[in-house]
Coordinates of all heavy atoms in Angstrom, one line a residue:
A11 N -165.0 23.2 109.8 CA -165.4 24.5 110.2 C -164.0 25.4 110.3 O -164.3 26.5 109.9 CB -166.1 24.5 111.5
N12 N -163.0 25.0 110.8 CA -161.9 25.7 110.9 C -161.3 26.2 109.5 O -161.0 27.4 109.4 CB -160.8 25.1 111.7 CG -161.0 25.0 113.3 OD1 -161.9 25.7 113.8 ND2 -160.6 23.9 113.9
S13 N -161.2 25.3 108.7 CA -160.8 25.7 107.3 C -161.7 26.7 106.6 O -161.3 27.7 106.1 CB -160.6 24.4 106.4 OG -159.8 23.5 106.9
R14 N -163.0 26.5 106.7 CA -163.9 27.4 106.1 C -163.9 28.8 106.8 O -163.8 29.8 106.1 CB -165.3 26.8 106.4 CG -166.4 27.7 105.7 CD -167.8 27.4 106.2 NE -167.9 27.7 107.7 CZ -168.5 26.9 108.5 NH1 -168.8 25.7 108.1 NH2 -168.6 27.2 109.7
D15 N -163.8 28.8 108.1 CA -163.7 30.1 108.7 C -162.3 30.9 108.3 O -162.4 31.9 108.0 CB -163.7 30.0 110.3 CG -165.0 29.5 110.7 OD1 -165.9 29.6 110.0 OD2 -165.1 28.9 111.9
Y16 N -161.2 30.1 108.3 CA -160.0 30.7 107.9 C -160.1 31.3 106.5 O -159.6 32.3 106.2 CB -158.8 29.7 108.0 CG -157.5 30.2 107.4 CD1 -156.7 31.1 108.2 CD2 -157.1 29.8 106.1 CE1 -155.5 31.6 107.7 CE2 -155.9 30.2 105.6 CZ -155.2 31.2 106.4 OH -153.9 31.7 105.8
L17 N -160.5 30.5 105.6 CA -160.6 30.9 104.1 C -161.6 32.0 104.0 O -161.2 33.0 103.2 CB -161.1 29.7 103.3 CG -160.1 28.6 103.1 CD1 -160.6 27.4 102.4 CD2 -158.9 29.1 102.5
R18 N -162.6 32.0 104.7 CA -163.6 33.2 104.6 C -163.1 34.4 105.1 O -163.4 35.5 104.6 CB -164.9 32.8 105.3 CG -165.7 31.8 104.3 CD -167.1 31.5 105.1 NE -167.9 30.6 104.3 CZ -169.0 30.2 104.6 NH1 -169.6 30.5 105.7 NH2 -169.6 29.3 103.8
R19 N -162.2 34.3 106.0 CA -161.5 35.5 106.6 C -160.3 35.9 105.9 O -160.2 37.2 105.7 CB -161.1 35.1 108.0 CG -160.5 36.2 108.9 CD -160.2 35.8 110.3 NE -159.2 34.8 110.4 CZ -159.3 33.6 110.7 NH1 -160.4 33.2 111.2 NH2 -158.2 32.7 110.6
E20 N -159.6 35.2 105.2 CA -158.4 35.5 104.6 C -158.5 35.6 103.0 O -157.6 36.4 102.5 CB -157.3 34.4 104.9 CG -157.0 34.4 106.4 CD -156.4 35.6 106.9 OE1 -155.5 36.3 106.2 OE2 -156.6 36.0 108.1
V21 N -159.3 35.1 102.5 CA -159.5 35.2 100.9 C -160.3 36.4 100.5 O -161.4 36.6 101.1 CB -160.1 33.8 100.4 CG1 -160.3 34.0 98.9 CG2 -159.1 32.6 100.7
R22 N -159.8 37.0 99.4 CA -160.6 38.2 98.8 C -161.0 37.8 97.4 O -160.1 37.7 96.6 CB -159.6 39.4 98.8 CG -159.1 39.8 100.2 CD -160.0 40.2 101.2 NE -159.4 40.6 102.4 CZ -159.4 39.8 103.5 NH1 -159.9 38.6 103.5 NH2 -158.8 40.2 104.7
Y23 N -162.2 37.8 97.1 CA -162.6 37.5 95.8 C -163.2 38.7 95.1 O -163.9 39.5 95.7 CB -163.9 36.4 95.9 CG -164.6 36.2 94.5 CD1 -163.8 35.7 93.5 CD2 -166.0 36.4 94.4 CE1 -164.4 35.5 92.3 CE2 -166.6 36.1 93.1 CZ -165.8 35.7 92.1 OH -166.4 35.5 91.0
D24 N -162.6 39.0 93.9 CA -163.0 40.2 93.1 C -163.6 39.7 91.9 O -163.0 39.3 90.9 CB -161.7 40.9 92.9 CG -161.9 42.2 92.1 OD1 -163.0 42.4 91.6 OD2 -160.9 43.0 91.9
A25 N -165.0 39.5 91.9 CA -165.8 39.1 90.8 C -165.6 40.1 89.5 O -165.5 39.5 88.4 CB -167.2 39.0 91.1
R26 N -165.5 41.3 89.8 CA -165.4 42.3 88.7 C -164.2 42.0 87.8 O -164.1 42.1 86.7 CB -165.3 43.7 89.3 CG -165.4 44.8 88.3 CD -165.4 46.1 88.9 NE -165.7 47.1 87.9 CZ -165.7 48.5 88.1 NH1 -165.6 48.8 89.4 NH2 -165.8 49.2 87.2
N27 N -162.9 41.8 88.5 CA -161.8 41.5 87.8 C -161.4 40.1 87.6 O -160.3 39.7 87.2 CB -160.6 42.2 88.7 CG -160.8 43.7 88.5 OD1 -160.7 44.3 87.4 ND2 -160.8 44.4 89.6
N28 N -162.3 39.1 88.0 CA -162.1 37.8 87.9 C -160.9 37.2 88.6 O -160.0 36.6 87.9 CB -162.2 37.3 86.4 CG -162.5 35.9 86.3 OD1 -163.1 35.2 87.2 ND2 -161.8 35.2 85.4
R29 N -160.7 37.7 89.9 CA -159.5 37.3 90.6 C -159.9 37.0 92.0 O -160.8 37.6 92.5 CB -158.5 38.5 90.5 CG -157.2 38.2 91.2 CD -156.3 39.4 91.1 NE -156.6 40.5 91.9 CZ -156.7 41.8 91.6 NH1 -156.2 42.2 90.4 NH2 -157.1 42.6 92.4
V30 N -159.1 36.0 92.5 CA -159.2 35.5 94.0 C -157.8 35.7 94.6 O -156.8 35.2 94.1 CB -159.9 34.3 94.1 CG1 -159.1 33.1 93.6 CG2 -160.1 34.1 95.6
D31 N -157.8 36.4 95.6 CA -156.5 36.8 96.3 C -156.5 35.8 97.5 O -157.3 35.9 98.4 CB -156.4 38.1 96.8 CG -155.1 38.7 97.1 OD1 -154.1 38.1 96.6 OD2 -154.9 39.6 98.0
V32 N -155.4 34.9 97.6 CA -155.5 34.0 98.6 C -154.1 34.0 99.4 O -153.2 34.6 98.9 CB -155.5 32.5 98.1 CG1 -156.9 32.4 97.4 CG2 -154.4 32.1 97.1
P33 N -154.1 33.6 100.7 CA -152.9 33.6 101.5 C -151.8 32.7 100.9 O -152.0 31.8 100.2 CB -153.2 33.0 102.8 CG -154.8 33.0 102.8 CD -155.2 32.9 101.4
A34 N -150.6 33.1 101.1 CA -149.3 32.5 100.6 C -149.4 31.1 101.0 O -148.7 30.1 100.2 CB -148.1 33.2 101.0
L35 N -150.0 30.7 102.2 CA -150.0 29.3 102.6 C -150.6 28.3 101.5 O -150.1 27.1 101.5 CB -150.7 29.1 103.9 CG -150.1 29.9 105.1 CD1 -151.1 29.8 106.3 CD2 -148.8 29.4 105.5
L36 N -151.4 28.8 100.8 CA -152.0 28.0 99.7 C -151.1 27.5 98.6 O -151.2 26.6 98.0 CB -153.3 28.5 99.1 CG -154.6 28.2 99.8 CD1 -154.7 28.8 101.2 CD2 -155.8 28.4 99.0
R37 N -150.1 28.5 98.3 CA -149.0 28.1 97.4 C -147.9 27.2 98.1 O -147.6 26.3 97.6 CB -148.3 29.3 97.0 CG -147.2 29.0 96.1 CD -146.6 30.2 95.5 NE -147.2 30.7 94.4 CZ -147.1 31.9 93.8 NH1 -146.3 32.8 94.2 NH2 -147.8 32.1 92.7
W38 N -147.6 27.7 99.3 CA -146.5 26.9 100.0 C -146.9 25.3 100.2 O -146.0 24.4 100.2 CB -146.2 27.4 101.3 CG -145.6 28.8 101.3 CD1 -145.2 29.5 100.2 CD2 -145.5 29.6 102.4 NE1 -144.8 30.7 100.6 CE2 -144.9 30.9 101.9 CE3 -145.8 29.6 103.8 CZ2 -144.7 32.0 102.7 CZ3 -145.5 30.7 104.6 CH2 -145.0 31.9 104.1
F39 N -148.1 25.1 100.6 CA -148.6 23.8 100.9 C -149.5 23.3 99.8 O -150.5 22.5 100.0 CB -149.3 23.7 102.2 CG -148.3 24.2 103.3 CD1 -148.4 25.5 103.9 CD2 -147.4 23.2 103.8 CE1 -147.5 25.8 104.9 CE2 -146.5 23.7 104.9 CZ -146.5 24.9 105.4
S40 N -149.3 23.6 98.4 CA -150.1 23.2 97.4 C -150.4 21.7 97.3 O -151.6 21.3 97.0 CB -149.4 23.7 96.1 OG -149.6 25.0 95.8
A41 N -149.5 21.0 97.6 CA -149.7 19.5 97.5 C -150.8 19.0 98.4 O -151.3 17.9 98.2 CB -148.3 18.7 97.6
D42 N -150.9 19.7 99.6 CA -152.0 19.4 100.5 C -153.4 19.7 100.1 O -154.4 19.3 100.7 CB -151.6 20.0 101.9 CG -150.3 19.6 102.4 OD1 -149.8 18.4 102.2 OD2 -149.8 20.4 103.2
F43 N -153.5 20.5 99.0 CA -154.8 20.9 98.6 C -155.3 20.1 97.3 O -155.2 20.8 96.3 CB -154.8 22.5 98.4 CG -154.5 23.2 99.6 CD1 -153.4 23.8 99.8 CD2 -155.4 23.3 100.6 CE1 -153.0 24.5 101.0 CE2 -155.2 24.1 101.8 CZ -154.0 24.6 102.1
D44 N -155.6 18.9 97.5 CA -156.1 18.1 96.3 C -155.2 18.1 95.2 O -155.6 18.2 94.0 CB -157.6 18.6 96.0 CG -158.5 18.4 97.0 OD1 -158.3 17.6 97.9 OD2 -159.6 19.0 97.0
G45 N -153.9 18.1 95.4 CA -153.0 18.0 94.3 C -152.3 19.3 94.0 O -151.3 19.3 93.2
G46 N -152.7 20.3 94.3 CA -152.2 21.7 94.3 C -152.4 22.5 93.0 O -151.9 23.6 92.8
S47 N -153.2 22.0 92.0 CA -153.4 22.7 90.8 C -154.4 23.9 91.2 O -155.0 23.9 92.1 CB -154.2 21.7 89.8 OG -155.5 21.6 90.1
D48 N -154.4 24.9 90.2 CA -155.4 26.1 90.5 C -156.8 25.5 90.4 O -157.5 26.1 91.3 CB -155.1 27.1 89.4 CG -153.9 27.8 89.6 OD1 -153.1 27.7 90.7 OD2 -153.5 28.8 88.9
D49 N -157.1 24.6 89.6 CA -158.5 24.0 89.6 C -158.9 23.4 90.9 O -160.0 23.6 91.5 CB -158.7 23.1 88.5 CG -158.9 23.7 87.1 OD1 -159.3 24.9 87.1 OD2 -158.6 23.1 86.1
A50 N -157.9 22.6 91.5 CA -158.1 22.1 92.8 C -158.4 23.2 93.9 O -159.2 22.9 94.7 CB -156.9 21.1 93.1
K51 N -157.5 24.1 93.9 CA -157.8 25.3 94.8 C -159.1 25.9 94.7 O -159.8 26.2 95.7 CB -156.5 26.2 94.8 CG -155.2 25.7 95.2 CD -154.1 26.5 94.9 CE -152.8 25.7 95.1 NZ -151.7 26.6 94.5
R52 N -159.4 26.2 93.4 CA -160.8 26.8 93.2 C -161.8 25.9 93.7 O -162.8 26.4 94.3 CB -160.9 27.0 91.7 CG -160.2 28.2 91.2 CD -160.6 28.6 89.7 NE -159.5 29.2 89.1 CZ -158.7 28.6 88.3 NH1 -158.6 27.3 88.0 NH2 -157.6 29.4 87.7
N53 N -161.7 24.5 93.5 CA -162.8 23.7 94.2 C -162.9 23.7 95.6 O -163.9 23.6 96.2 CB -162.5 22.2 93.7 CG -162.8 22.1 92.1 OD1 -163.6 22.7 91.6 ND2 -162.1 21.2 91.5
I54 N -161.7 23.8 96.2 CA -161.7 24.0 97.8 C -162.5 25.4 98.1 O -163.2 25.3 99.0 CB -160.3 23.9 98.2 CG1 -159.8 22.5 98.2 CG2 -160.3 24.4 99.7 CD1 -158.2 22.5 98.4
L55 N -162.1 26.4 97.4 CA -162.8 27.6 97.6 C -164.2 27.6 97.4 O -165.0 28.2 98.2 CB -162.1 28.8 96.9 CG -160.7 29.0 97.1 CD1 -160.0 30.1 96.1 CD2 -160.4 29.5 98.6
R56 N -164.6 26.9 96.3 CA -166.1 26.8 96.1 C -166.8 26.0 97.2 O -167.9 26.3 97.7 CB -166.3 26.2 94.7 CG -166.0 26.9 93.5 CD -166.4 26.1 92.4 NE -165.8 26.7 91.1 CZ -164.7 26.3 90.5 NH1 -164.1 25.0 90.8 NH2 -164.1 27.1 89.5
R57 N -166.2 24.9 97.5 CA -166.6 23.9 98.6 C -167.0 24.7 99.9 O -167.9 24.4 100.6 CB -165.8 22.8 98.8 CG -166.3 21.7 99.6 CD -165.4 20.4 99.6 NE -164.1 20.7 99.5 CZ -163.1 20.0 98.9 NH1 -163.5 18.9 98.3 NH2 -161.8 20.4 98.8
H58 N -166.0 25.6 100.2 CA -166.2 26.4 101.5 C -166.9 27.7 101.3 O -167.0 28.6 102.3 CB -164.7 26.6 102.0 CG -164.1 25.3 102.6 ND1 -164.6 24.7 103.7 CD2 -163.0 24.8 102.1 CE1 -163.8 23.6 103.9 NE2 -162.9 23.6 102.9
G59 N -167.6 27.9 100.2 CA -168.3 29.0 99.9 C -167.6 30.4 99.8 O -168.2 31.4 100.0
V60 N -166.4 30.3 99.4 CA -165.7 31.5 99.3 C -165.7 32.2 97.9 O -165.7 33.5 97.8 CB -164.1 31.3 99.5 CG1 -163.3 32.5 99.5 CG2 -163.9 30.7 101.0
I61 N -166.0 31.3 97.0 CA -166.2 31.9 95.6 C -167.4 31.1 95.1 O -167.8 30.1 95.5 CB -165.1 31.7 94.6 CG1 -164.8 30.1 94.4 CG2 -163.8 32.4 95.1 CD1 -163.7 30.0 93.3
P62 N -168.2 31.7 94.1 CA -169.4 31.2 93.7 C -169.1 29.9 92.7 O -168.0 29.7 92.3 CB -169.9 32.2 92.6 CG -169.3 33.5 93.1 CD -167.9 33.2 93.6
A63 N -170.1 28.9 92.7 CA -169.9 27.6 92.1 C -169.5 27.7 90.7 O -168.7 26.9 90.3 CB -171.2 26.8 92.3
D64 N -169.9 28.8 89.9 CA -169.5 28.8 88.5 C -168.2 29.7 88.2 O -168.0 30.0 87.1 CB -170.8 29.3 87.7 CG -171.2 30.8 88.1 OD1 -170.8 31.2 89.3 OD2 -171.9 31.4 87.5
A65 N -167.7 30.2 89.3 CA -166.5 31.2 89.2 C -165.2 30.4 88.7 O -165.0 29.4 89.3 CB -166.3 32.0 90.4
T66 N -164.5 30.9 87.9 CA -163.1 30.5 87.6 C -162.1 31.6 87.6 O -161.5 31.9 86.5 CB -163.2 29.8 86.2 OG1 -163.6 30.7 85.1 CG2 -164.0 28.5 86.2
P67 N -162.0 32.3 88.8 CA -161.1 33.4 88.9 C -159.6 33.1 88.7 O -159.3 32.0 89.1 CB -161.4 34.0 90.2 CG -161.8 32.8 91.0 CD -162.5 31.8 90.0
D68 N -158.8 34.0 88.4 CA -157.4 33.8 88.4 C -156.9 33.8 89.8 O -157.6 34.6 90.6 CB -156.5 35.0 87.7 CG -156.8 34.9 86.2 OD1 -156.9 33.7 85.7 OD2 -156.9 35.9 85.5
I69 N -155.9 33.0 90.3 CA -155.6 33.0 91.7 C -154.2 33.9 91.8 O -153.2 33.7 91.1 CB -155.2 31.6 92.2 CG1 -156.6 30.8 92.0 CG2 -154.7 31.5 93.5 CD1 -156.4 29.2 92.4
T70 N -154.3 34.8 92.8 CA -153.1 35.6 93.1 C -152.8 35.3 94.6 O -153.7 35.0 95.3 CB -153.2 37.0 93.0 OG1 -154.3 37.5 93.7 CG2 -153.5 37.3 91.4
Y71 N -151.5 35.4 95.0 CA -151.1 35.1 96.3 C -150.6 36.2 97.0 O -149.7 37.0 96.5 CB -150.0 33.9 96.3 CG -150.5 32.7 95.6 CD1 -150.4 32.4 94.3 CD2 -151.0 31.6 96.5 CE1 -150.9 31.3 93.6 CE2 -151.5 30.5 95.8 CZ -151.4 30.3 94.4 OH -151.9 29.2 93.9
R72 N -151.0 36.5 98.2 CA -150.6 37.6 99.0 C -149.3 37.2 99.7 O -149.1 35.9 100.1 CB -151.6 37.9 100.2 CG -152.8 38.6 99.5 CD -153.7 39.3 100.7 NE -153.9 38.6 101.8 CZ -154.8 37.6 101.9 NH1 -155.5 37.3 101.0 NH2 -155.0 37.0 103.1
K73 N -148.5 38.2 100.2 CA -147.2 38.0 100.8 C -147.7 37.5 102.3 O -148.7 38.1 102.8 CB -146.4 39.2 100.9 CG -145.7 39.6 99.6 CD -144.9 40.8 99.8 CE -144.2 41.1 98.5 NZ -143.2 42.2 98.7
Y74 N -147.0 36.7 102.8 CA -147.2 36.2 104.2 C -146.9 37.4 105.2 O -145.8 37.9 105.1 CB -146.4 35.0 104.5 CG -146.9 34.4 105.8 CD1 -148.1 33.7 105.9 CD2 -146.1 34.5 107.0 CE1 -148.6 33.1 107.1 CE2 -146.5 33.8 108.1 CZ -147.7 33.2 108.3 OH -148.1 32.7 109.4
D75 N -147.7 37.6 106.2 CA -147.4 38.5 107.4 C -146.7 37.8 108.3 O -147.2 36.9 109.2 CB -148.7 39.0 107.8 CG -148.5 40.0 108.9 OD1 -147.3 40.3 109.2 OD2 -149.6 40.5 109.5
W76 N -145.4 38.0 108.4 CA -144.6 37.3 109.5 C -144.5 38.0 110.9 O -144.0 37.5 111.7 CB -143.1 37.3 109.0 CG -142.9 36.3 107.8 CD1 -142.9 36.7 106.5 CD2 -142.8 34.9 107.8 NE1 -142.7 35.6 105.7 CE2 -142.7 34.5 106.6 CE3 -142.8 34.1 108.8 CZ2 -142.5 33.2 106.2 CZ3 -142.5 32.7 108.6 CH2 -142.5 32.3 107.2
T77 N -145.4 39.0 111.1 CA -145.4 39.6 112.4 C -146.2 38.6 113.3 O -147.0 37.9 113.0 CB -146.2 40.9 112.3 OG1 -147.5 40.7 111.8 CG2 -145.4 42.0 111.5
L78 N -145.7 38.6 114.5 CA -146.2 37.8 115.5 C -147.5 38.4 116.1 O -147.5 39.5 116.6 CB -145.2 37.5 116.6 CG -145.6 36.6 117.8 CD1 -145.9 35.2 117.2 CD2 -144.6 36.5 118.8
H79 N -148.6 37.7 116.1 CA -149.8 38.1 116.8 C -149.8 37.5 118.2 O -150.4 36.5 118.3 CB -151.0 37.7 115.9 CG -151.0 38.4 114.5 ND1 -151.2 39.6 114.4 CD2 -150.7 37.8 113.4 CE1 -151.2 39.9 113.0 NE2 -150.9 38.8 112.4
I80 N -149.2 38.1 119.2 CA -149.0 37.6 120.4 C -150.2 37.1 121.1 O -150.3 36.3 122.0 CB -148.1 38.5 121.3 CG1 -147.5 37.8 122.4 CG2 -148.9 39.7 121.7 CD1 -146.4 36.7 122.1
T81 N -151.4 37.9 120.8 CA -152.6 37.6 121.5 C -153.1 36.2 120.9 O -154.1 35.7 121.6 CB -153.7 38.6 121.0 OG1 -153.9 38.7 119.6 CG2 -153.3 40.0 121.7
N82 N -152.7 35.6 120.0 CA -153.0 34.3 119.6 C -152.5 33.1 120.5 O -152.7 32.0 120.4 CB -152.5 34.0 118.2 CG -153.3 34.8 117.2 OD1 -154.5 35.2 117.5 ND2 -152.8 34.9 116.0
Y83 N -151.5 33.5 121.4 CA -150.9 32.6 122.3 C -151.1 32.7 123.7 O -151.1 33.9 124.2 CB -149.4 32.8 122.0 CG -149.1 32.4 120.5 CD1 -148.9 33.4 119.6 CD2 -148.9 31.0 120.1 CE1 -148.7 33.2 118.3 CE2 -148.7 30.8 118.7 CZ -148.5 31.8 117.8 OH -148.2 31.7 116.5
A84 N -151.3 31.7 124.5 CA -151.4 31.8 125.9 C -150.1 32.2 126.6 O -149.1 31.7 126.0 CB -152.0 30.5 126.4
L85 N -150.1 32.8 127.6 CA -148.9 33.0 128.4 C -148.4 31.7 129.0 O -149.2 30.8 129.4 CB -149.3 34.0 129.6 CG -149.5 35.4 129.3 CD1 -149.9 36.2 130.5 CD2 -148.3 36.0 128.5
F86 N -147.2 31.7 128.9 CA -146.5 30.4 129.4 C -146.1 30.7 130.9 O -145.4 31.7 131.2 CB -145.3 30.2 128.7 CG -144.4 29.0 129.2 CD1 -145.0 27.8 129.2 CD2 -143.2 29.2 129.8 CE1 -144.2 26.6 129.7 CE2 -142.5 28.2 130.4 CZ -143.0 26.9 130.3
T87 N -146.5 29.9 131.8 CA -146.1 30.0 133.1 C -145.4 28.7 133.6 O -146.0 27.6 133.6 CB -147.3 30.2 134.1 OG1 -148.0 31.2 133.5 CG2 -146.9 30.5 135.5
P88 N -144.0 28.8 133.8 CA -143.3 27.5 134.1 C -143.8 26.9 135.4 O -144.2 27.7 136.4 CB -141.9 28.0 134.2 CG -141.9 29.4 134.4 CD -143.3 29.9 133.7
L89 N -143.8 25.6 135.6 CA -144.1 25.0 136.8 C -142.9 25.3 137.9 O -141.8 25.3 137.4 CB -144.3 23.6 136.6 CG -145.5 23.1 135.8 CD1 -145.4 21.6 135.6 CD2 -146.7 23.4 136.4
T90 N -143.4 25.5 139.0 CA -142.4 25.7 140.1 C -142.1 24.4 140.8 O -143.1 23.5 140.8 CB -142.8 26.7 141.1 OG1 -144.1 26.4 141.6 CG2 -143.0 28.0 140.6
A91 N -140.9 24.3 141.2 CA -140.5 22.9 141.9 C -141.2 22.9 143.2 O -141.3 24.0 144.0 CB -139.0 22.9 142.1
Q92 N -141.6 21.8 143.6 CA -142.4 21.6 144.8 C -141.6 20.7 145.8 O -141.0 19.9 145.5 CB -143.8 21.1 144.7 CG -144.6 22.1 144.0 CD -146.0 21.7 143.7 OE1 -146.3 20.5 144.1 NE2 -146.8 22.3 143.0

């Protein structure tokens, strides 16, 4: 469910131009995605309902956003000595 939610949130499918815009992470960790070929990545996107089953779009990669989303992290409170 986490992968599906992430992909549905981050991937942009443009049927009109036959293109799918994916996060840079899919390129960086290509080997982790069923071998890393574009066909393998499309199959993952199909399996998670991000692109239609019969779609074969070109894949483009977005630049990674290196800004820190601090709200994603809990505040750290060090333990005090007792």
